[in-house]
């Protein structure tokens, strides 16, 4: 089969080209992804990031995978925005444990203006520790994005979740286009974009093609692309629907394929293994690293779901000969140095 490449002048991928990548023999696909990865990144370095829920539960959105939605019957107890000092203490501990990026997430549809001063203090405090900062707060207005940029925010996370065609099967309270609007506001403010999604939500491979196609063909592809495997949570629509349907769970080989295609389609991006990693074998994670994943969330929890802990990750890194990426080695693209 001939090499599958985007149109070089525009650096744009067609759906057909991305589908052709997915259809490659597995070993050929992983080999090509590894070659792409080594062209743009150090092959044995993986970034360690920590994610903290700074405001949990009570979200008015109806995302079918999320136990933080007020519309779903989960046991999660809602909480208010954390105190700035408590957030900075958690960031300092994450740094001591080897993380170089600290990500803060709030279960909001969008932040209120009254919340912005505390959010700004969190960003400034974490940056003073020498860590990269990332926030995920829901939709942002242009003015809110500028406030975060002025505070020194490095990355803003706003996932597109899935393909444009499958999106309405997962979320009805916010449109796919509204997500793109927030990404535009973030990019216009000079903040790096972190955007990815979730696989294993009952979507088809065609939807995974559409998901990567949408990300790769943004005006500028995201600097950071988190890829999550659905963790079915009891009480959520998708969790209840898929819990007793084992065949709906994305298999490990298809997950690695998705990572590999994302790496080839977005060669300069950081590709992060996110939710679902705690149930993956060491061998599956190793294949993901070979296929171009070079970032993980570490720690015992991702917002409200479990995650592989620091000790387990350290043991895996030692087994594979992987080196934790230092903050100053990470190429930050965008307005800030």
């Amino acid at each position: 089969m001939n090499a599958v490449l985007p149109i070089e002048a525009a650096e744009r991928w067609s759906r057909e080209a991305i589908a052709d990548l997915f259809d490659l023999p597995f070993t050929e696909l992983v080999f090509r992804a590894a070659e792409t990865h080594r062209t743009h990144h150090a092959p044995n370095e993986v970034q360690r990031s920590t994610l903290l829920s700074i405001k949990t539960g009570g979200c008015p959105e109806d995302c079918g995978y999320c136990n933080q939605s007020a519309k779903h019957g989960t046991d999660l107890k809602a909480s208010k925005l954390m105190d700035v000092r408590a957030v900075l203490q958690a960031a300092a501990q994450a740094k001591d444990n080897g993380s170089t990026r600290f990500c803060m997430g709030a279960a909001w549809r969008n932040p209120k203006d009254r919340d912005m001063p505390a959010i700004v203090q969190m960003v400034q405090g974490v940056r003073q520790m020498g860590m990269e900062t990332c926030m995920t707060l829901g939709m942002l207005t242009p003015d809110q994005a500028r406030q975060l940029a002025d505070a020194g925010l490095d990355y803003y996370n706003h996932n597109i979740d899935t393909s444009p065609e499958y999106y309405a099967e997962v979320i009805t309270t916010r449109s796919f286009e509204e997500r793109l609007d927030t990404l535009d506001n973030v990019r216009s403010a000079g903040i790096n974009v972190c955007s990815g999604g979730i696989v294993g939500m009952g979507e088809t491979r065609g939807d995974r093609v559409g998901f990567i196609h949408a990300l790769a063909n943004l005006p500028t592809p995201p600097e950071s692309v988190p890829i999550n495997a659905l963790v079915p949570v009891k009480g959520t629509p998708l969790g209840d629907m898929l819990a007793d349907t084992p065949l709906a769970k994305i298999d490990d080989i298809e997950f690695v394929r998705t990572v590999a295609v994302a790496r080839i389609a977005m060669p300069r991006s950081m590709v992060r293994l996110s939710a679902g990693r705690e149930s993956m074998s060491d061998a599956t994670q190793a294949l993901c690293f070979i296929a171009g994943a070079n970032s993980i969330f570490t720690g015992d929890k991702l917002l409200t779901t479990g995650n592989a802990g620091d000790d387990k990750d350290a043991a895996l890194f030692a087994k594979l000969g992987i080196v934790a990426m230092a903050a100053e080695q990470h190429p930050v693209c965008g307005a800030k140095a």
Side-chain angles (χ1 to χ4, degrees):
M1 182 178 294
N2 294 328
V4 182
L5 295 172
I7 300 173
E8 292 184 2
E11 292 189 352
R12 289 294 180 260
W13 288 83
S14 69
R15 283 189 178 233
E16 292 76 13
I18 293 174
D20 286 345
L21 287 176
F22 266 102
D23 289 339
L24 285 172
F26 180 73
T27 55
E28 176 67 17
L29 172 60
V30 171
F31 177 75
R32 294 191 189 189
E35 283 190 316
T36 301
H37 180 71
R38 287 168 178 265
T39 299
H40 299 282
H41 305 271
N44 293 307
E45 290 185 355
V46 173
Q47 181 192 58
R48 296 177 65 173
S49 304
T50 295
L51 175 61
L52 175 69
S53 177
I54 60 174
K55 189 275 174 186
T56 303
C59 181
E61 304 279 16
D62 68 353
C63 305
Y65 51 80
C66 186
N67 64 343
Q68 300 202 66
S69 171
K71 300 179 183 296
H72 305 331
T74 66
D75 296 329
L76 186 69
K77 184 178 180 180
S79 66
K80 297 180 179 179
L81 182 65
M82 287 178 64
D83 178 75
V84 173
R85 289 171 296 179
V87 172
L88 297 184
Q89 288 173 353
Q93 182 178 357
K95 182 178 180 180
D96 289 343
N97 290 336
S99 287
T100 58
R101 184 188 295 185
F102 193 68
C103 306
M104 296 157 274
W108 287 322
R109 175 177 171 81
N110 53 274
K112 302 293 191 295
D113 288 340
R114 66 174 182 268
D115 299 312
M116 293 304 295
I119 294 296
V120 165
Q121 290 181 50
M122 293 174 191
V123 173
Q124 292 172 334
V126 175
R127 275 185 61 88
Q128 288 172 3
M129 297 178 193
M131 300 180 74
E132 293 178 0
T133 53
C134 182
M135 282 274 182
T136 177
L137 313 170
M139 295 187 292
L140 290 181
T141 66
D143 181 65
Q144 289 171 335
R146 283 192 294 269
Q147 289 183 60
L148 293 174
D150 290 342
L153 185 68
D154 295 295
Y155 288 82
Y156 192 81
N157 168 256
H158 200 61
N159 291 337
I160 64 169
D161 285 342
T162 187
S163 70
E165 295 79 13
Y166 195 66
Y167 183 87
E169 301 297 319
V170 179
I171 303 160
T172 66
T173 51
R174 186 192 316 178
S175 70
F176 192 87
E177 288 70 25
E178 285 177 306
R179 290 188 180 265
L180 297 182
D181 288 342
T182 288
L183 294 181
D184 285 342
N185 292 338
V186 168
R187 182 68 74 189
S188 296
I191 301 171
N192 293 297
V193 169
C194 174
S195 187
I198 307 171
V199 296
M201 296 193 293
E203 79 282 350
T204 65
R205 177 180 280 186
D207 290 311
R208 291 188 280 279
V209 169
F211 159 63
I212 293 178
H213 177 265
L215 289 172
N217 287 298
L218 289 171
T220 299
E223 283 78 18
S224 185
V225 180
I227 299 180
N228 302 268
L230 179 70
V231 178
V233 179
K234 184 178 180 181
T236 63
L238 285 175
D240 291 344
M241 179 178 73
L242 299 177
D244 298 322
T245 312
L247 292 179
K249 180 181 182 297
I250 187 169
D251 69 61
D252 291 344
I253 296 299
E254 185 69 9
F255 186 85
V256 176
R257 280 186 182 275
T258 305
V259 169
V261 173
R263 167 50 68 216
I264 295 171
M266 292 170 280
R268 296 172 182 83
S269 302
M270 301 292 287
V271 176
R272 180 180 303 116
L273 300 185
S274 298
R277 192 171 64 86
E278 77 287 346
S279 61
M280 294 180 189
S281 68
D282 288 353
T284 297
Q285 293 183 69
L287 283 171
C288 288
F289 295 139
I290 294 170
N294 60 344
S295 180
I296 61 169
F297 276 129
T298 192
D300 297 323
K301 183 179 286 189
L302 294 182
L303 294 180
T304 61
T305 59
N307 187 47
D310 294 313
D311 292 343
K312 186 175 181 181
D313 288 334
L316 177 62
F317 276 30
K319 184 186 297 186
L320 299 178
I322 286 175
V323 177
M325 185 180 295
E328 63 270 19
Q329 294 174 294
H330 177 54
V332 178
C333 306
K336 293 180 289 299

